[in-house]
Amino acid sequence: ADAGPHSDMGKKGKGNRGGDAESKPLLDESALDAKYGSRVSDESVSKSQRRDLIQGVKRGDDASERLDAAVSMASRTDEVGDAILQNLQEQREKILSARVSAETMEEDMNISERRMTRMACEKCIQKWVLWVIFAAVLAGLVIFAYYKLEIEPSRRGSGAAAAAALGKRGARRLLMMARRT
């Protein structure tokens, strides 16, 4: 019977797996019929080869599923990595902003420190000026008291003798004049 164009697949040399003398068929007839739609027959195809082919296809499908899962995981990892990079960029911007704020704050603190130092110096100067004014007022009071207690009574004493000579009216006038001055 005519086996078709694939009839020499099981013969020595073409579909031979180990190079041995006997032929080993490659595919199941029903699988070939389902796949190609024409009747291909090879009576010497063994069940172990069919099983190996089916297992190979299953392993290929499993490998394809694992590859799809790996691609999906890589895609998710890429998305997570992008999100992490975006978060890190935002944190970097916040840190840079905080650094600029800290530098500005440090400059303001230096200015405030200089102002406080200047105010402390002004306060010290004001205290000294106040003490000098207080000392001047105190010295003035001492001089005034010395004048009133030492110098003026000696004048009055000479004025009292003159007033006695002038009489009662003259003494009043002299006392009035002394009070005015």
Side-chain angles (χ1 to χ4, degrees), residues 131-146:
W131 280 109
V132 167
I133 291 172
F134 178 71
V137 168
L138 186 62
L141 286 175
V142 167
I143 292 172
F144 179 74
Y146 176 75

Side-chain angles (χ1 to χ4, degrees), residues 60-76:
D61 289 343
D62 290 344
S64 176
E65 288 175 8
R66 285 192 302 257
L67 282 174
D68 289 342
V71 167
S72 174
M73 184 181 291
S75 174
R76 283 181 284 172

Side-chain angles (χ1 to χ4, degrees), residues 108-176:
D108 291 343
M109 291 297 290
N110 288 337
I111 291 170
S112 296
E113 184 178 354
R114 280 181 264 155
R115 284 183 184 166
M116 293 296 288
T117 304
R118 187 171 14 114
M119 289 172 65
C121 289
E122 288 176 1
K123 183 179 177 184
C124 184
I125 291 170
Q126 288 173 355
K127 280 184 180 179
W128 280 103
V129 168
L130 184 65
W131 280 109
V132 167
I133 291 172
F134 178 71
V137 168
L138 186 62
L141 286 175
V142 167
I143 292 172
F144 179 74
Y146 176 75
Y147 176 76
K148 283 293 187 176
L149 294 175
E150 293 293 326
I151 296 176
E152 195 173 311
S154 64
R155 275 189 177 175
R156 281 188 186 168
S158 61
L166 291 175
K168 201 174 184 183
R169 265 181 143 179
R172 280 188 194 161
R173 280 188 193 169
L174 194 60
L175 283 175
M176 292 285 270

